[in-house]
Amino acid sequence: MSTLETAPPETRPEKPRQTRLNDQAREIAEQFRQSSISQVLLVGAVRLIDVLGVALTAAGAYALLHDGALAAPWPYPVATLAAVVLTLIFAQAADAYHVVAFRVFGGQLGRMLGAWTLTFAGFAVVGSFLDFGGSVERRWLGLWFVLGALSFLISRLVLTALVRRWAADGRLGRKAVIVGGGEPAAELIRALESTPGNDVHICGVFDDRSNDRSPAIVAGYPKLGTVAELVEFGRVARIDLLIVTIPVSAAGRVREILKTLWVLPVDIRLSAHTDKLRYRPRAYSYVGAIPMVELAEKPIANWDFVIKRAFDLIVGTLALIALAPLMIATAIAIKLDSPGPVFFRQKRYGFNNEVIDVFKFRSLRHEMADPDAKTVVTKNDSRVTKVGRFIRKTSIDELPQLFNVLKGELSLVGPRPHAVNAHTSETLWNDVVDGYFARHKVKPGVTGWAQINGWRGEVDTSEKLKRRIDHDLYYIENWSILFDAMILIKTPFALAKTDNAY
């Protein structure tokens, strides 16, 4: 069951209200428009680069000593694997994989060279007991040590420059907004700023209360608007974290805030640092040393995001190659059937409610094209060409969206991207279903959970739309890479049912 199916009416997300940011909020939001660099991914990437550096310098040293040969006998790969493991262990023990350390070139290089030296000291100890030197050339070990040290020098020079630039741009760490002003917010901000290694960058404060109850400046940060305005600010500024400072005892007010903010693809935390209520330790997550109660999680984040993106690139590329003959034949058929371009671009909502251009094969007569989707295509629609009718029923018209997948605008699997003017009975879809924009918390997809369950084609009633949204939200809440694979496998069978597609 999805959130909308299980939640009682009084806790369901409310329809997003159209708000306009004030000039100060708009200016600050524009400053933070670039996406944040995930510290989890950054540390993981640095570890991977170190692994590659150790392995490649080992192979390079052997090749230099043996006229370019790369096929080394068994002791050499074993020694390389041992060096990879030991270097990572020693570097971790030396705190070399902390983002704070990445900002100081001398400190991080010293930590890595220390770990590298300890690794070779370990080789020396093992060699003294097991005649290691007789199995592996000492000159190879010496050259490998030098090349490895040079690789750490170069990688740390580049890393320091990148981290400093990202930090100056406000992209390193999580961009956060404080929800709720006054002294509780001020105490939280002071606690965050005094926490060593804190990765939270505060962009401002939002509060519904007037200035006489909630000051315009909180611990040096401006109050930028109301909670309703925060939705627009969060989308523009690509906020990562919302911290609510309202006491847990004010459950009604917290619930009302969640109704508004639930549609944003962010982590939402309730600060517990000043609350008199205390839960079991497992109930808390921590931002630095500050206890927080988790209210909502950002879907498909960090390594999940990397895995999904890699899946999209690999499978999307293979699908594009496999389907190339069908796509070429479709393009020829469209050109022969009616005058006009082969492809059609339509404005649709993408991730975080941003508008993207989605590619499709043209299925309508060129002179009757409807890029704004102001008129829904219906059964026996006179605008649809002969070829268009076939490719719409079989969903072949959607295949060019694989290019959107490779560009990173779409995913292979996700909620289908709806047209910006999509409507039912003259009512825009975001006004028909509560929490409609929550489906944009992840990238939209070429296919999705709703589509393989029969919810594709014309949406002429509010009930059809609600069922689609319910399936979209279920997908978001239960995502896994295996779930994506299962949906892709079932998609061809679902497309065979063309009752609602025309």
Side-chain angles (χ1 to χ4, degrees):
M1 299 287 285
S2 73
T3 298
L4 291 182
E5 290 173 316
T6 58
E10 67 273 11
T11 62
R12 290 181 183 178
E14 66 181 14
K15 296 183 180 73
R17 289 169 282 177
Q18 297 297 322
T19 57
R20 186 176 184 276
L21 295 176
N22 60 62
D23 292 341
Q24 182 185 26
R26 174 66 63 178
E27 182 181 353
I28 292 176
E30 292 292 343
Q31 292 175 4
F32 294 102
R33 180 176 283 276
Q34 289 185 295
S35 298
S36 300
I37 304 296
S38 167
Q39 295 200 10
V40 173
L41 294 183
L42 176 60
V43 171
V46 172
R47 284 196 177 99
L48 179 59
I49 290 170
D50 287 345
V51 168
L52 293 175
V54 171
L56 291 176
T57 53
Y62 187 85
L64 287 173
L65 295 174
H66 296 87
D67 299 324
L70 294 176
W74 71 266
Y76 291 87
V78 172
T80 301
L81 178 61
V84 167
V85 174
L86 289 174
T87 301
L88 291 179
I89 291 174
F90 291 141
Q92 182 67 38
D95 291 332
Y97 293 124
H98 286 179
V99 176
V100 175
F102 294 161
R103 303 187 187 194
V104 182
F105 171 72
Q108 63 172 313
L109 179 61
R111 289 182 173 93
M112 288 309 303
L113 291 181
W116 190 233
T117 302
L118 285 174
T119 296
F120 278 77
F123 283 167
V125 172
V126 172
S128 65
F129 286 100
L130 301 178
D131 193 25
F132 190 69
S135 302
V136 174
E137 296 174 275
R138 294 187 181 277
R139 60 176 187 153
W140 172 70
L141 289 172
L143 181 57
W144 182 21
F145 179 82
V146 173
L147 292 179
L150 287 174
S151 75
F152 289 130
L153 171 66
I154 295 170
S155 66
R156 264 43 189 187
L157 273 172
V158 174
L159 179 62
T160 301
L162 289 175
V163 167
R164 287 178 178 175
R165 188 178 74 185
W166 290 334
D169 293 340
R171 299 183 63 194
L172 193 61
R174 290 175 288 178
K175 292 177 286 188
V177 163
I178 308 298
V179 183
E183 189 55 31
E187 290 184 25
L188 172 66
I189 291 171
R190 286 192 287 266
L192 285 171
E193 291 181 337
S194 63
T195 301
N198 170 47
D199 70 332
V200 174
H201 185 98
I202 300 171
C203 300
V205 178
F206 284 79
D207 197 344
D208 286 333
R209 295 173 296 176
S210 60
N211 288 348
D212 58 337
R213 298 181 58 199
S214 175
I217 301 294
V218 181
Y221 292 91
K223 188 172 70 173
L224 299 176
T226 65
V227 173
E229 293 166 342
L230 173 53
V231 174
E232 177 64 15
F233 182 89
R235 288 185 178 129
V236 176
R238 299 178 181 268
I239 294 299
D240 304 296
L241 177 65
L242 301 179
I243 304 178
V244 180
T245 62
I246 298 166
V248 177
S249 54
R253 190 174 171 209
V254 172
R255 185 167 58 247
E256 289 299 316
I257 288 174
L258 284 178
K259 285 183 183 180
T260 304
L261 302 182
W262 180 75
V263 300
L264 289 173
V266 299
D267 292 329
I268 303 178
R269 300 288 183 267
L270 180 64
S271 173
H273 75 293
T274 60
D275 208 297
K276 294 180 180 179
L277 295 178
R278 285 292 177 264
Y279 301 97
R280 293 171 179 257
R282 291 182 181 178
Y284 295 115
S285 62
Y286 289 84
V287 176
I290 302 170
M292 303 275 178
V293 178
E294 296 183 359
L295 300 180
E297 285 285 340
K298 181 178 181 179
I300 315 181
N302 295 324
W303 287 110
D304 286 341
F305 174 83
V306 173
I307 292 170
K308 185 171 175 63
R309 182 59 182 149
F311 181 84
D312 286 342
L313 288 174
I314 295 170
V315 178
T317 300
L318 294 175
L320 196 58
I321 295 171
L323 294 169
L326 175 60
M327 294 177 70
I328 293 172
T330 302
I332 295 172
I334 291 171
K335 291 297 289 184
L336 294 176
D337 182 49
S338 63
V342 168
F343 296 107
F344 175 75
R345 292 195 300 179
Q346 189 175 67
K347 300 289 185 183
R348 298 199 176 191
Y349 284 120
F351 173 70
N352 202 21
N353 201 35
E354 294 182 346
V355 177
I356 59 175
D357 284 322
V358 168
F359 296 104
K360 299 181 69 174
F361 280 124
R362 180 175 59 84
S363 59
L364 303 184
R365 302 184 189 281
H366 179 52
E367 67 275 11
M368 298 180 180
D370 185 18
D372 296 326
K374 293 180 179 179
T375 305
V376 178
V377 176
T378 58
K379 191 172 185 178
N380 299 320
D381 197 314
S382 61
R383 297 174 298 164
V384 182
T385 65
K386 292 178 181 179
V387 171
R389 188 165 291 109
F390 174 76
I391 63 176
R392 289 179 72 90
K393 272 187 170 293
T394 56
S395 291
I396 292 174
D397 65 322
E398 310 284 0
L399 292 182
Q401 290 170 28
L402 290 171
F403 294 112
N404 291 108
V405 172
L406 299 184
K407 288 176 63 179
E409 296 170 334
L410 296 183
S411 181
L412 285 174
V413 181
R416 286 291 295 139
H418 292 163
V420 294
N421 288 309
H423 58 275
T424 298
S425 300
E426 303 303 321
T427 304
L428 291 174
W429 283 356
N430 60 290
D431 292 327
V432 175
V433 178
D434 288 343
Y436 172 83
F437 285 118
R439 68 193 303 277
H440 302 139
K441 294 167 73 171
V442 300
K443 284 183 185 179
V446 177
T447 185
W449 181 238
Q451 282 62 47
I452 69 167
N453 281 280
W455 300 103
R456 58 187 285 255
E458 183 183 7
V459 180
D460 52 0
T461 67
S462 60
E463 182 58 29
K464 286 184 179 180
L465 179 60
K466 289 175 182 177
R467 295 300 295 169
R468 276 195 183 190
I469 303 306
D470 285 347
H471 282 78
D472 291 340
L473 297 181
Y474 177 89
Y475 168 80
I476 293 171
E477 294 163 4
N478 296 275
W479 175 85
S480 71
I481 202 67
L482 293 178
F483 196 11
D484 274 5
M486 183 268 287
I487 291 173
L488 282 178
I489 292 171
K490 288 188 174 183
T491 293
F493 302 99
L495 295 180
K497 300 176 182 179
T498 61
D499 296 342
N500 297 324
Y502 34 82

